[in-house]
Amino acid sequence: MPRLSFPTFSLEGFRRKLASVDALPQLCVLGVISGLVTGAVMVAFRLLLELGGVLFMPDGNHEAFEGLPPEVRASLPLVAVVLIGIFLWRQPAAARKLGVGHVIERLTYHQGRFPLRNWINQWWVGVTTVLGGLSAGREGPAIHLGAAAASGLGQRLRLPHNSLRVLVACGTAAGISASFNTPIAGVIFAMEVVMMEYTIAGFMPVILASTMGALVAMLIYGSEPAFQVPSVSLGSLANLPWIVVTALFIGLLAGLFIHVARSERIAGLPVVLRLTLVALATAAVAWWYPDVQGIGYDSLDASLAGNLTVDVLLALVVAKLLLTAITVASKIPIGIIGPVLVVGAAAGALADLIGAWLFPQMGTEPGFYAMLGMAAMMGAVLQAPLAALMALLELTHNPNIILPGMLAVVVSGLTARQLCRCDGFFISVTRHGLHPLQQPLMQALSRVSVPAVMERSFVTTPRMVTRDQARALLDAKPAWILILRSTGDKPTLALKAADLARALIDEQELEEITTEEALIDLLEVPGLRLEMAPIHLQATLSEAFEQLNDQAVDALYVEYGQRPKHKRISGIITRGAIERYYSLK
């Protein structure tokens, strides 16, 4: 009776598959796992906030700053800033980088690898800024925690760096999805804001991760959306001109926010002055308007229901916007997505009141302009129109709002980009020209790791060999011969095996009288020799391309192994191989 054979799982084989650009099944598996991990991390972070609310806030609500006495809520920012100043500013500058900006930086320049210290800092700093009454959100910390947790899983398994990039996108999408219960918006946010590209190989695992993140959050918090959104519709077409005016206003607000948040004048102040400025400004406003503190989702719900007075709306539009921007400019790592949504909703609600006073015939439902303002502000600040539109659709469950939403998001985004000269909050401080993640060459080369392209047919030899040794090298039919300058060294030159074979044939044809023991200097063999430098097996082709340029060489030998003295060579990759791969793609 024939035996049944089943495919066996090999982690090494899994890594080898992931190195290729077409490793879609393997990436989908990673998407499911990373979504579950990120969903659990997001739930843990939200539970920490809720625990803080139970311990310190009225009614156990971590947003209930209005229920605190004025002197208590005004003192909370002072306490938060002191804690951050003492425990965060004593650490190196690199350890103080947190949030979405840190995620994009690690993805751009570190292939999606995250330091553990920053991840740990993000937990307590995220909780401290929200419970401490600063104008801060939870989504930025959630994205950092989720992306780093997903990437950390890949790092522990020593997966190639191209798959770490996908894991970062998976963690980002799952973090947004678990926070708002908006899985589609999570996917679009990850691809539009963080990855800055759209590919099928990227979309499918990210969709799975976002779905898993939402499911984990639903198990704890139910399937209701993050906000209680009333049923809204466009109503009369007479609203369209006022929607354009509202979007222009919100685009200017987004430009103001980005310019203040990037203010060199504030950033150049001494640390103590910056922290003091944030604490005193927040405390002064919170004494009269506690609505500006924390994330502000309770205020957002009230804006959608039309329950806020004009003075509170003005405080949210002006004070919360400036407080959030000043806090960012002061280098205090906070999440901005929540406050941006609150400011946008308040600006929309304020525009609704003004429009109803000027044009009574418009007759819109409460919350219509607040919803548009929320999407317009998010789209303009992040320069992420699709993510804003998908969030609008998923939060309202109403396709009728898409038409006015598209108009509002496009007008506000153009206003911020063209009139205010803002490229988007998370990429506005990068070098001139395209962001590295937006460059087509680097995008293509980042999707595959060196094992998918490297040449594995090679032999390693000292510089001086006998004719017998040379023939033995060629008997292995290698493509390349890696030359050691001295015994025990790493190879520094690569010679094509065909050149050595041709030299031996030419020597025979010339009937040169040489003994078998006579040594051949491989550096004297006619042929092209490539200078080499090392690169790790997990590296992407973009890393290899940068290494070739940085070291001014034309080839790299690929090392694997964790201990420096026990690293082995698994292949060679040339500049020509990278160029051929890109031209074929």
Side-chain angles (χ1 to χ4, degrees), residues 373-537:
M374 186 169 66
M377 191 71 176
M378 176 181 174
V381 170
L382 303 181
Q383 287 296 303
L386 283 179
L389 284 172
M390 287 301 101
L392 182 64
L393 177 61
E394 289 187 286
L395 289 172
T396 60
H397 298 287
N398 184 358
N400 295 325
I401 202 170
I402 287 298
L403 174 62
M406 291 171 66
L407 181 61
V409 167
V410 169
V411 171
S412 66
L414 282 174
T415 302
R417 191 178 188 87
Q418 300 301 320
L419 295 184
C420 303
R421 304 296 181 188
C422 297
D423 294 330
F425 180 79
F426 293 117
I427 61 173
S428 58
V429 292
T430 58
R431 63 190 67 168
H432 294 296
L434 288 176
H435 188 278
L437 292 178
Q438 295 172 317
Q439 297 172 7
L441 172 62
M442 302 313 290
Q443 283 182 348
L445 297 183
S446 295
R447 296 184 197 123
V448 63
S449 287
V450 292
V453 179
M454 72 182 184
E455 176 61 66
R456 290 181 167 85
S457 176
F458 69 94
V459 291
T460 304
T461 180
R463 169 182 173 178
M464 307 297 294
V465 294
T466 64
R467 294 181 66 188
D468 281 343
Q469 289 171 333
R471 292 193 191 100
L473 291 175
L474 295 175
D475 287 342
K477 297 182 179 179
W480 290 94
I481 296 174
L482 309 189
I483 304 172
L484 306 174
R485 288 190 185 274
S486 59
T487 304
D489 280 352
K490 292 292 184 182
T492 55
L493 292 171
L495 173 70
K496 281 195 172 182
D499 290 334
L500 176 59
R502 189 178 301 110
L504 292 176
I505 292 172
D506 290 345
E507 185 183 76
Q508 268 187 331
E509 290 178 349
L510 292 173
E511 298 180 350
E512 292 188 359
I513 301 173
T514 56
T515 64
E516 294 297 321
E517 292 77 17
L519 294 178
I520 299 174
D521 187 349
L522 294 179
L523 297 186
E524 298 297 329
V525 171
L528 177 65
R529 273 164 290 275
L530 304 181
E531 293 279 349
M532 292 197 301
I535 195 166
H536 198 272
L537 184 67

Side-chain angles (χ1 to χ4, degrees), residues 127 130 132 145 162 192 194 279 294 353 359 361 401 415 432 435 443 473 492 517 531 550:
V127 172
V130 174
L145 294 173
N162 63 320
E192 192 173 27
V194 176
L353 293 177
F359 313 105
Q361 69 274 16
I401 202 170
T415 302
H432 294 296
H435 188 278
Q443 283 182 348
L473 291 175
T492 55
E517 292 77 17
E531 293 279 349
D550 292 344

Side-chain angles (χ1 to χ4, degrees), residues 130-427:
V130 174
L131 293 179
L134 299 178
S135 182
R138 72 184 182 206
E139 287 71 33
I143 290 169
H144 179 187
L145 294 173
S151 173
L153 175 67
Q155 289 177 250
R156 291 281 294 179
L157 297 175
R158 299 201 303 276
L159 301 182
H161 291 169
N162 63 320
S163 59
L164 293 188
R165 293 170 53 82
V166 177
L167 284 171
V168 170
C170 290
T172 299
I176 290 289
S177 176
S179 180
F180 291 118
N181 194 16
T182 54
I184 300 177
V187 172
I188 302 300
F189 181 92
M191 305 306 289
E192 192 173 27
V193 177
V194 176
M195 295 291 286
M196 302 185 200
E197 64 172 340
Y198 298 98
T199 61
I200 292 177
F203 259 120
M204 288 191 179
V206 173
I207 289 172
L208 287 171
S210 188
T211 303
M212 294 299 106
L215 287 175
V216 171
M218 286 179 188
L219 290 175
I220 307 299
Y221 297 103
S223 59
E224 293 299 316
F227 315 118
Q228 298 302 314
V229 180
S231 176
V232 294
S233 63
L234 175 61
S236 171
L237 292 177
N239 283 292
L240 292 178
W242 192 245
I243 290 174
V244 172
V245 173
T246 301
L248 280 167
F249 170 59
I250 290 175
L252 294 174
L253 288 176
L256 173 64
F257 174 81
I258 292 175
H259 283 298
V260 174
R262 299 303 182 197
S263 171
E264 294 295 333
R265 184 173 298 180
I266 297 176
L269 294 173
V271 174
V272 174
L273 284 181
R274 295 202 309 262
L275 298 180
T276 302
L277 171 65
V278 171
L280 293 180
T282 306
V285 178
W287 185 281
W288 304 105
Y289 293 101
D291 312 78
V292 302
Q293 293 187 277
I295 308 172
Y297 285 161
D298 54 345
S299 300
L300 193 152
D301 278 328
S303 297
L304 295 173
N307 293 333
L308 293 181
T309 59
V310 173
D311 62 322
V312 174
L313 290 174
L314 284 170
L316 290 173
V317 171
V318 178
K320 190 169 183 66
L321 181 145
L322 291 176
L323 286 175
T324 308
I326 290 171
T327 305
V328 172
S330 298
K331 308 298 183 184
I332 297 178
I334 61 170
I336 68 154
I337 297 175
V340 160
L341 293 175
V342 175
V343 171
L350 192 61
D352 187 19
L353 293 177
I354 297 172
W357 176 62
L358 293 175
F359 313 105
Q361 69 274 16
M362 289 196 309
T364 58
E365 298 96 337
F368 175 75
Y369 277 91
M371 282 301 305
L372 293 183
M374 186 169 66
M377 191 71 176
M378 176 181 174
V381 170
L382 303 181
Q383 287 296 303
L386 283 179
L389 284 172
M390 287 301 101
L392 182 64
L393 177 61
E394 289 187 286
L395 289 172
T396 60
H397 298 287
N398 184 358
N400 295 325
I401 202 170
I402 287 298
L403 174 62
M406 291 171 66
L407 181 61
V409 167
V410 169
V411 171
S412 66
L414 282 174
T415 302
R417 191 178 188 87
Q418 300 301 320
L419 295 184
C420 303
R421 304 296 181 188
C422 297
D423 294 330
F425 180 79
F426 293 117
I427 61 173

Side-chain angles (χ1 to χ4, degrees), residues 99 102-107 110-119 143-152 155 164 167-168 172:
H102 178 62
V103 172
I104 295 175
E105 178 192 349
R106 300 303 299 187
L107 187 66
H110 302 277
Q111 301 300 320
R113 290 167 291 140
F114 289 82
L116 179 61
R117 176 186 282 190
N118 298 61
W119 190 72
I143 290 169
H144 179 187
L145 294 173
S151 173
Q155 289 177 250
L164 293 188
L167 284 171
V168 170
T172 299

